[in-house]
Amino acid sequence: MDPVGGATVTVLEAVTGRVLRWVVADGSGHYRIDGLAPGAVKVRATKAGFMPSYANGRTTPGTADVYVLQAGQTLSQGWDPMVLYLDVMPEAVVQGQVLSWMDPIAGATVTVLDADTGKVLGSAISDGQGDYRIGMLPMGRVKVRGSMTGHVTSFADSGTSFATARAYALLPGETLSQSWDPMRLYLDIAPEAVIDGTVLGDGVPLAAATVTVLEASTAKVLGWTLTDATGHYRLGSLPTTTVKVRATKGGWLPGFANGRATLAAGDPIQLTGGQTTTNPWLDLEREAAIEGQVLGWMDPLSFATVAVVDARTGRILRTATADTQGEYRIGGLAAGEVKIRATAPGWLPGWADNATTFAAATVYTLQAGQTLTESWDPMRLYLDLTPESAITGSVMGFSNNPDNPWDDPLRGVTVTALDPVTRHVLGWTTTDEFGQFRVGMLPMEKVLLRASKPGWVTSYAGPVQAWPWGWPEPVALSIYEAATIQGQVLGNMDPLGGATVTVLDAVTGKVLGSTVADSSGDYRVTGLPNVDVKVRATRTGWYSGFADGAGTFATAHVFTLVEGVTLQQSWDPMVLYLDLRPRTVG
């Protein structure tokens, strides 16, 4: 905001940027440029040690304001509105020294980059002592990079990439200089490591293969190149580190150095700056492929997913999506035994040649370089999916509690479709807020339906026939609220906390439910079916006992439970009276 004498003010043609006239401002920063023809112009101010500036604070020709001069007009600076405001900012400077393995190095290129955008703001070449100076830099955040042929590109203060490089804040007129204490702008570009070799395919030099060098510990790509007509490659600008080398080419399986097939198994190779590592063995094998067509009830099935599965482990090796005609091709496969599966929304999964399970699926043996193709005679790779069958319906919840009887659609009920013979689960779903359900992806056969929910008695229906795309008439299922038993455990007529109350089937003695009484002896056992039961209480240090004074299961009172009804202890008449006696000691 202070007057700057000696600045050069230049008038430029707005469209072409051609200089029309210029003048040097006086000691007070004043200037006047006469003899201008009418037309559109831009105005720029420059001075050594300052950043070029265009009128009204613009910094580039593209953003500069355009003024249209009229014959006989004098365009004068003004503040309201702002016209011809020229304020040049002092340049910022970055200076330091480039090293290579701690020795000064000449001829390195040092580049200052905008820390946010990566745009190049300025550059310089280091001199015989490795020194450099880059001026005419704007204020802002910057990063500093050093590069040179035969060396690894590095960023100041040991940054290995633009993303990880240290950012520096430049102020107008500031000179950011390298220092050692604190360390700042330390720039050491190490000699490159080089890897050199040949890629083979089935033992023959392979042209146009992509060779990629990966950092062994992170799999980060450090560099890549293509092999020439003789299969040869050379890749430099690599750091001193441990790497793995991969070769790829369409129609061939990827391979790692020394005959390894995967990154995990790939041999690590140590690279050293200034040295060339030669001839890591890379010999690729031709890929196997599978191609065919997916059908659905004998018609082409668009966009089905086809998976190639390892025949021994069941691991998916590769997948592909069929096109609009159901046709697919899966390449990049290694030799070995596989099984083929197809899936599609609304269709049951199927395996090649009409198998319905992995265990029953046909095993195909792939050969390197072979494409296994679907055929009809003999039948091979035949994939014909069956549409899913489904059952829809609703679940009604019933309560027999006389205090709150109701029968309403019930949400949150798990509806499970079971094989009627084996009880194997074929599918399941949960009812929505309206009690409705749909169990899909079922085979076209009869299934047993089971409805279950915590606190409710499980119920069954069917067998019910499942049909493709849904049962024509919804199935109605009923489920009843479970019975509950609650009361209090006593010991010598006092509340006995911590006692275990167990509800047993009155016929079989099977445990149907249990709980531990609270500190007041109170208990509640829920989720019980409508069966005859006996109730027992136990606690360490006390004789076990059954409800209403019985001492054994055989003599215990039988209670009949009803769904949705709570069997409540009472004194008149006496029901569920549990009073234990203490064990004597000595």
Side-chain angles (χ1 to χ4, degrees):
M1 293 293 292
D2 293 324
V4 177
T8 299
V9 180
T10 305
V11 178
L12 306 134
E13 190 174 69
V15 177
T16 65
R18 182 171 63 91
V19 174
L20 300 177
R21 285 185 177 272
W22 61 272
V23 70
V24 176
D26 63 19
S28 298
H30 294 295
Y31 68 90
R32 178 183 175 86
I33 301 177
D34 297 311
L36 295 168
V41 299
K42 297 180 180 181
V43 182
R44 180 184 67 203
T46 57
K47 185 179 180 180
F50 290 80
M51 296 295 297
S53 178
Y54 289 81
N56 296 345
R58 311 304 184 188
T59 58
T60 65
T63 61
D65 286 357
V66 175
Y67 298 96
V68 178
L69 301 180
Q70 306 293 335
Q73 174 195 19
T74 296
L75 183 64
S76 299
Q77 180 179 353
W79 294 94
D80 190 13
M82 184 178 286
V83 178
L84 284 180
Y85 172 66
L86 285 166
D87 188 4
V88 289
M89 303 291 289
E91 68 172 346
V93 176
V94 173
Q95 64 182 25
Q97 185 182 45
V98 185
L99 307 176
S100 179
W101 279 359
M102 294 299 293
D103 290 325
I105 186 170
T109 299
V110 182
T111 307
V112 177
L113 306 157
D114 185 291
D116 298 314
T117 66
K119 177 184 176 182
V120 174
L121 303 176
S123 65
I125 306 295
S126 62
D127 63 18
Q129 300 301 313
D131 295 327
Y132 68 89
R133 183 184 188 279
I134 304 173
M136 301 305 289
L137 297 172
M139 64 179 292
R141 297 171 65 252
V142 299
K143 297 184 178 184
V144 181
R145 182 182 67 201
S147 60
M148 185 176 181
T149 301
H151 292 72
V152 179
T153 298
S154 300
F155 287 81
D157 296 334
S158 303
T160 57
S161 68
F162 179 81
T164 62
R166 180 178 174 182
Y168 305 91
L170 291 183
L171 299 175
E174 176 190 18
T175 296
L176 181 67
S177 299
Q178 177 184 352
S179 72
W180 294 94
D181 189 14
M183 182 174 285
R184 182 178 62 196
L185 279 180
Y186 172 65
L187 198 53
D188 193 336
I189 56 173
E192 68 176 350
V194 176
I195 195 162
D196 183 285
T198 300
V199 177
L200 306 177
D202 288 341
V204 178
L206 192 61
T210 300
V211 178
T212 306
V213 176
L214 307 149
E215 190 171 52
S217 60
T218 66
K220 174 185 175 183
V221 175
L222 302 178
W224 65 275
T225 189
L226 294 175
T227 58
D228 63 18
T230 66
H232 176 259
Y233 68 90
R234 183 183 188 280
L235 186 61
S237 297
L238 299 172
T240 297
T241 189
T242 303
V243 302
K244 296 187 178 184
V245 183
R246 179 183 68 205
T248 57
K249 185 177 181 179
W252 300 78
L253 293 177
F256 287 80
N258 301 329
R260 308 302 183 186
T262 65
L263 176 65
D267 284 351
I269 299 171
Q270 181 61 48
L271 301 183
T272 302
Q275 297 183 14
T276 297
T277 300
T278 58
N279 290 324
W281 180 52
L282 285 161
D283 192 356
L284 304 188
E285 179 181 294
R286 289 188 183 275
E287 70 171 2
I290 293 177
E291 62 184 18
Q293 185 181 40
V294 183
L295 305 177
W297 269 7
M298 294 298 293
D299 290 323
L301 187 58
S302 304
F303 309 121
T305 298
V306 182
V308 179
V309 180
D310 187 289
R312 293 174 299 169
T313 66
R315 182 172 66 92
I316 295 176
L317 303 176
R318 281 186 176 270
T319 64
T321 301
D323 63 17
T324 55
Q325 297 302 310
E327 295 178 348
Y328 68 91
R329 185 182 192 280
I330 303 177
L333 297 169
E337 293 184 337
V338 299
K339 298 182 178 185
I340 315 300
R341 184 189 69 201
T343 57
W347 299 78
L348 293 178
W351 298 81
D353 303 335
N354 290 327
T356 58
T357 66
F358 173 78
T362 302
V363 177
Y364 298 95
T365 301
L366 300 183
Q367 305 292 335
Q370 173 198 28
T371 296
L372 182 65
T373 304
E374 177 187 0
S375 72
W376 293 89
D377 189 15
M379 182 177 285
R380 182 178 61 196
L381 279 180
Y382 175 65
L383 280 168
D384 189 5
L385 302 189
T386 300
E388 69 164 339
S389 293
I391 295 177
T392 61
S394 61
V395 178
M396 297 291 289
F398 289 81
S399 172
N400 289 326
N401 190 330
D403 297 328
N404 184 29
W406 54 267
D407 55 337
D408 293 317
L410 189 62
R411 70 179 302 170
V413 179
T414 299
V415 179
T416 307
L418 305 165
D419 184 289
V421 177
T422 66
R423 297 299 176 96
H424 175 69
V425 174
L426 304 175
W428 64 275
T429 189
T430 303
T431 57
D432 62 17
E433 59 184 314
F434 304 108
Q436 297 180 343
F437 69 88
R438 181 184 188 276
V439 184
M441 299 304 290
L442 297 174
M444 192 173 62
E445 58 188 42
K446 288 186 176 182
V447 301
L448 185 65
L449 293 181
R450 181 180 67 201
S452 59
K453 182 177 181 176
W456 297 74
V457 179
T458 299
S459 66
Y460 292 83
V464 178
Q465 178 67 50
W467 292 100
W469 298 294
W471 179 248
E473 294 294 334
V475 176
L477 295 174
S478 299
I479 186 170
Y480 291 85
E481 189 176 11
T484 299
I485 293 178
Q486 68 178 34
Q488 184 183 42
V489 184
L490 304 177
N492 271 356
M493 294 298 293
D494 291 321
L496 186 61
T500 299
V501 179
T502 305
V503 180
L504 307 157
D505 186 288
V507 176
T508 66
K510 177 183 176 183
V511 175
L512 303 177
S514 67
T515 189
V516 177
D518 64 17
S519 59
S520 299
D522 294 327
Y523 68 90
R524 178 180 173 87
V525 183
T526 62
L528 299 171
N530 61 326
V531 296
D532 290 341
V533 299
K534 299 183 178 184
V535 182
R536 181 185 67 202
T538 58
R539 188 183 176 196
T540 302
W542 299 76
Y543 289 104
S544 64
F546 285 83
D548 299 341
T552 66
F553 179 81
T555 61
H557 187 85
V558 175
F559 301 94
T560 299
L561 301 183
V562 177
E563 297 105 327
V565 176
T566 297
L567 180 64
Q568 178 77 45
Q569 178 185 353
S570 72
W571 294 93
D572 188 15
M574 184 177 285
V575 177
L576 280 178
Y577 174 65
L578 281 167
D579 188 8
L580 304 187
R581 293 183 297 110
R583 292 180 181 271
T584 58
V585 179

